[in-house]
Amino acid sequence: DPSTWPRQWPRSIGPAGSTVKGKTVSSDTAVAGLDDRTPRSRAMPWRAPGRTRSSTGARGPRVALLGNALPRRCGIATFTTDLHAAISARLSPGDAMIVAMDDPGSSHDYPPSVAFAIPDQDAASYRAAASRLDTMGLDAVGLQHEFGIFGGQAGSHVLEFVERLRTPLITTLHTVLSRPDPAQHAVLVGLAGASRRLVVMSERGRRMLGEVY
């Protein structure tokens, strides 16, 4: 039922018996129907804010994904692009978009699915991006977190984004450190506190969230 979304998104997430900062944690890697049958890229033009309705009159969800994106060469870029393709296959054209993280000195020829990019070392750009997304009528933002792709100490610039954002946030934690330093611990706890849902890649990661964080 789209009227209850994003509380039920991704559809593979349900209570897993563990919480961090009061947030439900899932260890399901099949996020939003992602599977090997989904083509890697399916560029969708991003529309101006508006509401798509199905033949039944129900409005479909609209989502933005924040992370690295192809053609940047890294695992998170592949994951974000594949996740966008999987979600786009289930939504109306243009109802899913990517906000890409740009590394210093890079220049990437992004497809139309990338609405805009954030320079990873510019803290002000994180705040501006959050404010911009809040004007787009989105139902959720899916943040792909990995240490090393965000600027600041231990990637702390990402907290500038989540603290400004008012759109519901779902964070995928690609790495959960068993022995974080204080800065890394603070970043992950800050992300957990700002997120409606957390997604991890393994049962061990889910346990560590409860035990370490």
Side-chain angles (χ1 to χ4, degrees):
D1 179 1
S3 67
T4 65
W5 196 95
R7 181 167 51 85
Q8 295 179 346
W9 186 91
R11 298 191 183 280
S12 60
I13 292 180
S18 179
T19 60
V20 178
K21 301 283 287 184
K23 303 298 188 298
T24 302
V25 177
S26 168
S27 58
D28 196 334
T29 59
V31 181
L34 179 64
D35 58 44
D36 291 338
R37 296 168 297 175
T38 304
R40 172 177 290 186
S41 62
R42 185 184 302 222
M44 297 292 187
W46 179 247
R47 295 196 310 262
R51 292 304 191 185
T52 301
R53 293 187 177 274
S54 68
S55 58
T56 63
R59 177 182 62 80
R62 305 181 73 217
V63 61
L65 302 176
L66 173 65
N68 295 351
L70 295 177
R72 182 173 176 177
R73 292 180 176 272
C74 76
I76 300 300
T78 301
F79 185 97
T80 305
T81 303
D82 285 352
L83 180 58
H84 173 267
I87 293 174
S88 295
R90 290 157 174 79
L91 300 181
S92 299
D95 278 350
M97 62 177 283
I98 295 174
V99 177
M101 297 304 307
D102 265 352
D103 45 335
S106 67
S107 178
H108 300 294
D109 185 18
Y110 290 119
S113 55
V114 175
F116 61 94
I118 300 173
D120 64 10
Q121 299 299 321
D122 183 7
S125 292
Y126 289 78
R127 296 189 293 271
S131 297
R132 181 173 177 179
L133 290 174
D134 282 339
T135 69
M136 289 183 169
L138 299 169
D139 294 283
V141 172
L143 189 153
Q144 310 305 310
H145 179 265
E146 180 60 280
F147 291 102
I149 71 171
F150 301 106
Q153 185 180 14
S156 59
H157 284 356
V158 73
L159 299 181
E160 301 279 351
F161 175 84
V162 302
E163 290 169 1
R164 177 68 62 90
L165 188 72
R166 295 295 174 261
T167 304
L169 178 68
I170 299 165
T171 299
T172 300
L173 302 172
H174 290 266
T175 296
V176 180
L177 298 173
S178 60
R179 296 180 179 179
D181 64 32
Q184 293 166 336
H185 186 278
V187 168
L188 197 145
V189 169
L191 287 171
S195 301
R196 296 283 187 94
R197 291 290 189 273
L198 297 173
V199 184
V200 297
M201 298 298 161
S202 68
E203 176 62 24
R204 182 170 181 267
R206 185 182 70 85
R207 289 198 306 270
M208 284 196 298
L209 285 178
E211 294 167 0
V212 180
Y213 299 89

